[in-house]
Amino acid sequence: ELSSLGIQALSSDVADAAAAVQDAGSNDCAFDQLLPYLRGMTPSTDVCCSLIDICLARGQRQDAETFFSRGANGSEVYVKLLAENRIPLSILRGHQHRAELLGKVLGAWGSGEEVVISAIAQDRQGLRRLLRACEGDAEIGGLAEFSSALLVAKQGAAAQEESAEVAGRALFRNFVAANRSTPASFFDDVPISWLAELRDLLPSLAIDVFMAKVRTEVDDSQAKALAERFWGDFHWREASPAQVEAAVGVLRRWGRVGALEVADLSGRAAERKRMENAEGLNAALANLPLIRLPNPDALLAPELPPQAATLLANARLTAVEGATAALREELAQARQEARAAHRQADDLADQVRSLERKLNSMSGR
């Protein structure tokens, strides 16, 4: 009876519905009867609050989260549930009121950019994981609280503050993922270490920004230091011909500095330094798709190790071998299909002969 009354109330008056739910909530048996009907409905805001409270009190977290997903709005009662971690922040992914709720939760935790930075750095209630899960979401990526915190995190990272580095990288990735047409000026004060966040997300953009930062270094020694430290942070296999050409230019600066360093030494020390420099350059060159280099003669530059041209020859050989293997595979497939077609043709021929024999037999009668 209580289940029937609850359903009638839910379909008529909000106050009556809330009262019916509360009455059922005070009676475990009655609520168990009512719950299956409620699971298939979208409750009003007032009813939703009551349902969430009752489900949480009864330890039915999954039902509580389901009702939150369906009926929660930007009201303070729902903000409190999130801020107090009674409902996880992860539930906001794709939620209709996600930006409003998350902004209010951040405000409930405290005011100021440092509070946001600290919360992300500590992954408070899974906030940093939520940012990654909401990657590309313009509403989350465009939150004013995150934009202002990102500006402060850039400054903190420059001062080598660990929390600013961790939070800044998460905010940076989230912002760029949601704003893929970000102007180039935005990256001027972005730490180079943060560009690794774009390695899988926007590899070509990451390379462009990195190369732009290296080009601004007038001192070849500084350019070499940046290349040595960060070269492995990028997906060079995604580089365009122009990017490969620019990358080889940076490696020539690297090689120039290395050669001068060797010149300042003698004997075993000089040879050791020369080998170290050649090893680093060869590893960096091996990361590049040299086959896309517009002018292969650039690899003959005296600043580069003699193995540079060999790396290009090997890349070309690998490409030819790959193409040959692909053609052989296609040929084998074509032959297999031809054999199958011949078998099918033979089967059809047998069927035709069989039908002809039957026809002749019937004609003879």
Side-chain angles (χ1 to χ4, degrees), residues 57-215:
R58 290 163 54 88
Q60 294 169 300
R61 176 166 291 276
Q62 184 175 351
D63 283 314
E65 292 178 8
T66 298
F67 290 130
F68 187 100
S69 296
R70 292 180 183 173
N73 56 22
S75 302
E76 290 301 322
V77 64
Y78 297 112
V79 174
K80 186 176 181 181
L81 286 169
L82 293 166
E84 295 178 354
N85 202 24
R86 298 181 67 201
I87 295 292
L89 287 180
S90 58
I91 205 167
L92 292 179
R93 182 181 181 185
H95 194 279
Q96 182 180 359
H97 301 282
R98 57 193 178 280
E100 181 182 6
L101 283 167
L102 184 55
K104 289 181 177 179
V105 168
L106 295 174
W109 286 346
S111 61
E113 290 81 5
E114 294 299 336
V115 172
V116 177
I117 291 173
S118 175
I120 296 173
Q122 297 172 18
D123 197 22
R124 182 174 179 177
Q125 295 178 210
L127 178 58
R128 193 163 75 244
R129 282 169 286 165
L130 176 65
L131 287 179
R132 179 60 70 94
C134 293
E135 208 165 79
D137 187 329
E139 289 196 30
I140 297 298
L143 270 179
E145 292 85 353
F146 287 156
S147 297
S148 57
L150 177 56
L151 294 175
V152 174
K154 286 180 180 180
Q155 300 168 5
Q160 298 185 335
E161 297 174 7
E162 184 178 355
S163 61
E165 173 73 13
V166 174
R169 289 177 71 127
L171 287 167
F172 169 70
R173 181 184 178 98
N174 185 263
F175 179 85
V176 176
N179 302 274
R180 301 199 174 211
S181 58
T182 302
S185 59
F186 169 80
F187 299 97
D188 290 346
D189 56 350
V190 168
I192 292 182
S193 61
W194 290 10
L195 297 179
E197 295 297 324
L198 305 183
R199 174 186 173 93
D200 300 310
L201 187 66
L202 295 167
S204 182
L205 175 63
I207 292 172
D208 277 341
V209 176
F210 173 66
M211 299 306 295
K213 287 182 177 293
V214 173
R215 279 197 299 270

Side-chain angles (χ1 to χ4, degrees), residues 288-353:
L288 298 176
L290 293 175
I291 201 167
R292 298 178 197 156
L293 185 63
N295 179 20
D297 289 345
L299 297 176
L300 301 176
E303 301 94 337
L304 297 178
Q307 296 89 344
T310 303
L311 288 171
L312 174 58
N314 289 339
R316 286 174 171 169
L317 178 60
T318 300
V320 170
E321 289 175 346
T324 302
L327 286 173
R328 285 174 178 167
E329 185 175 346
E330 289 181 16
L331 179 59
Q333 180 66 26
R335 284 174 174 168
Q336 184 177 354
E337 291 174 357
R339 285 193 293 269
H342 283 308
R343 286 195 297 270
Q344 186 176 10
D346 291 340
D347 290 341
L348 288 172
D350 289 340
Q351 292 177 27
V352 169
R353 285 191 291 269

Side-chain angles (χ1 to χ4, degrees), residues 47 126 142 174 223 265:
V47 175
N174 185 263
L265 303 173

Side-chain angles (χ1 to χ4, degrees), residues 1 4 16 23 30 35 37 96 112 119 149 151 164 203 236 245 247 293 319 321:
E1 293 179 358
S4 300
D16 289 343
D23 288 342
L35 189 56
Y37 298 99
Q96 182 180 359
L151 294 175
W236 291 106
E245 186 173 39
L293 185 63
E321 289 175 346

